[in-house]
Amino acid sequence: MTIFKLKIGENKIENMSITIKKMNLKDYEKIKDNLKKDFDDFWTPTVLESELKNKNSKYIVAKENEEILGFAGIIILPDDVEITNIVVKKEERKKGIGKSLLEKIIEISKETKRNIISLEVNEKNLVAINLYKKFGFEKVGQRKKYYNGTDDAVIMSRKI
Ligand SMILES: CC(C)(COP(=O)(O)OP(=O)(O)OC[C@H]1O[C@@H](n2cnc3c(N)ncnc32)[C@H](O)[C@@H]1OP(=O)(O)O)[C@@H](O)C(=O)NCCC(=O)NCCS
């Protein structure tokens, strides 16, 4: 996969030099013990490890001076691309890193020759929903009580 290097032009991030590149198992080793504390309780480390080893998945990581500030991944399915994960370190949020990761994920998805990129998000996760809307994702469905048997999942997608 291409290695991306970018300086993000957002005001809030102008003093940071963020590099986005392919995520590998070494990156995973660095963060796996503190995933929940530093990032979120979205997945267990084992699931993330198996995703990184899955040949149909592609993961990217945002770093500043080798510190991992966020990561995101997709899985390439026969008919579409699904975003499996996008997460930014808790104290680094609202600086534009999520936007940069999503932008790169969409760019990578273009290489897959699929037409649609989709995802599932908790209906209460308005921050993520706003982020996806900003990139042209629209609600296309809903899964009732998908999260913990209580919260609905919103399915969103856009053309690649
Ligand atoms: C969702 C997440 C990745 C966003 O990362 P981030 O780096 O904070 O996002 P950015 O700073 O790039 O902001 C991107 C957009 O998200 C939305 N956003 C960010 N913080 C927000 C907040 N507190 N309230 C509402 N919208 C917000 C805005 O639309 C924002 O765009 P803007 O700054 O132009 O208004 C981050 O909050 C996160 O890691 N959340 C936990 C994991 C998660 O829920 N992932 C999504 C799973 S589907």
Side-chain angles (χ1 to χ4, degrees):
M1 187 168 41
T2 328
I3 292 179
F4 303 101
K5 198 166 171 121
L6 76 164
K7 278 208 173 139
I8 302 153
E10 290 284 315
N11 291 340
K12 286 175 271 178
I13 209 168
E14 64 187 1
N15 295 325
M16 301 177 89
S17 177
I18 305 281
T19 305
I20 296 188
K21 46 171 83 164
K22 184 178 174 184
M23 185 173 185
N24 56 35
L25 286 167
K26 262 193 193 165
D27 297 317
Y28 162 78
E29 289 295 331
K30 277 192 198 164
I31 57 173
K32 71 173 175 141
D33 293 334
N34 292 313
L35 267 182
K36 185 171 176 176
K37 177 171 81 59
D38 291 346
F39 292 90
D40 235 306
D41 58 353
F42 50 94
W43 266 356
T44 60
T46 341
V47 176
L48 179 58
E49 185 180 4
S50 70
E51 277 298 303
L52 284 166
K53 289 177 179 166
N54 182 340
K55 64 178 175 35
N56 294 318
S57 294
K58 285 185 191 289
Y59 268 73
I60 53 171
V61 64
K63 291 183 182 177
E64 186 180 45
N65 301 327
E66 289 310 305
E67 186 193 353
I68 295 172
L69 303 185
F71 58 93
I74 51 171
I75 184 156
I76 302 157
L77 299 173
D79 295 328
D80 67 352
V81 171
E82 279 180 19
I83 297 179
T84 44
N85 221 328
I86 174 162
V87 61
V88 172
K89 204 169 182 178
K90 286 175 184 167
E91 67 267 25
E92 303 293 342
R93 291 180 188 170
K94 295 197 232 167
K95 294 179 179 175
I97 298 170
K99 272 192 276 196
S100 302
L101 285 167
L102 186 54
E103 199 179 344
K104 286 296 149 196
I105 283 288
I106 292 168
E107 206 175 298
I108 293 165
S109 300
K110 288 183 180 155
E111 296 162 15
T112 67
K113 310 270 186 274
R114 306 297 191 272
N115 296 320
I116 299 283
I117 180 165
S118 59
L119 59 97
E120 277 153 9
V121 56
N122 189 313
E123 59 173 348
K124 292 186 178 152
N125 192 349
L126 299 182
V127 173
I129 290 174
N130 279 339
L131 170 63
Y132 294 129
K133 279 186 181 163
K134 207 158 266 249
F135 282 82
F137 285 82
E138 290 175 358
K139 180 178 169 182
V140 291
Q142 193 139 354
R143 289 193 215 287
K144 289 279 172 205
K145 302 190 174 176
Y146 185 73
Y147 296 106
N148 306 322
T150 52
D151 297 349
D152 290 358
V154 174
I155 304 165
M156 300 179 85
S157 74
R158 59 158 263 178
K159 283 191 182 151
I160 295 176

